[in-house]
Amino acid sequence: MIRYLAPFLLFFPGLANAQAIQPGNWDVKSTAVDLVVPGTSGFLLRMMKGKSKTEHKCVAPNQAQAGIAVLLMPDPKAKCRLESSVVADGRIAQTMVCPQKEGGTFRAIRSGSYTAAGFTARLIMAGQTPKGASRIVLDQTAVRTAATCRK
């Protein structure tokens, strides 16, 4: 389940007065804080709690001008729909809805703060699955790890 969470990073289409970030390699780390997933053993959920998954993103110089928004884009395969997004004055507040393969949707809400050096946020995903209501809480951080992207 955790491996599917990183692609749900929320999308923001860009900012008119975006604070540029540095191009290069960036890591977006998502750490499981709380997991309620019906049908998954309590033992497995306890093992997953505190575990992290890191998504590596390459930000080209032309993308860096868009600011932190470039790091908030989800995998296009997720087909998430943005309901609201405010990424301004150092604050992030976003809501989106993502369809699930098994049917139904998950609502994802991210709130946090950002600077040109990265962001820190909490992502709460909740929805109904065939086995019941699920809720996943992640703490996320994004930091630049290199001036050039890994090949």
Side-chain angles (χ1 to χ4, degrees), residues 17-98:
N17 297 317
Q19 177 183 9
I21 60 173
Q22 293 294 313
N25 195 66
W26 286 76
D27 282 355
V28 179
K29 182 170 111 175
S30 298
T31 303
V33 175
D34 188 36
L35 302 152
V36 176
V37 184
T40 304
S41 75
F43 174 76
L44 185 57
L45 292 174
R46 286 188 300 278
M47 283 184 50
M48 292 169 62
K49 191 173 180 177
K51 299 292 184 201
S52 298
K53 176 156 178 76
T54 301
E55 181 181 8
H56 307 287
K57 292 190 172 226
C58 176
V59 177
N62 62 329
Q63 294 173 314
Q65 296 306 311
I68 210 74
V70 73
L71 300 175
L72 301 174
M73 288 192 238
D75 183 333
K77 291 181 245 173
K79 298 180 181 171
C80 296
R81 178 178 49 84
L82 187 66
E83 286 190 334
S84 66
S85 182
V86 177
V87 181
D89 300 323
R91 303 296 307 157
I92 300 167
Q94 299 176 311
T95 302
M96 78 176 180
V97 175
C98 302

Side-chain angles (χ1 to χ4, degrees), residues 1-9 30-32 34-41 44-49 51-53 98-107 123-138:
M1 185 78 169
I2 290 292
R3 70 181 182 175
Y4 295 110
L5 299 177
F8 291 107
L9 295 174
S30 298
T31 303
D34 188 36
L35 302 152
V36 176
V37 184
T40 304
S41 75
L44 185 57
L45 292 174
R46 286 188 300 278
M47 283 184 50
M48 292 169 62
K49 191 173 180 177
K51 299 292 184 201
S52 298
K53 176 156 178 76
C98 302
Q100 299 301 294
K101 289 180 183 178
E102 308 85 28
T105 59
F106 265 74
R107 177 176 301 278
L123 178 66
I124 301 172
M125 297 177 61
Q128 192 68 30
T129 69
K131 295 184 178 182
S134 291
R135 184 172 186 269
I136 299 165
V137 179
L138 303 172

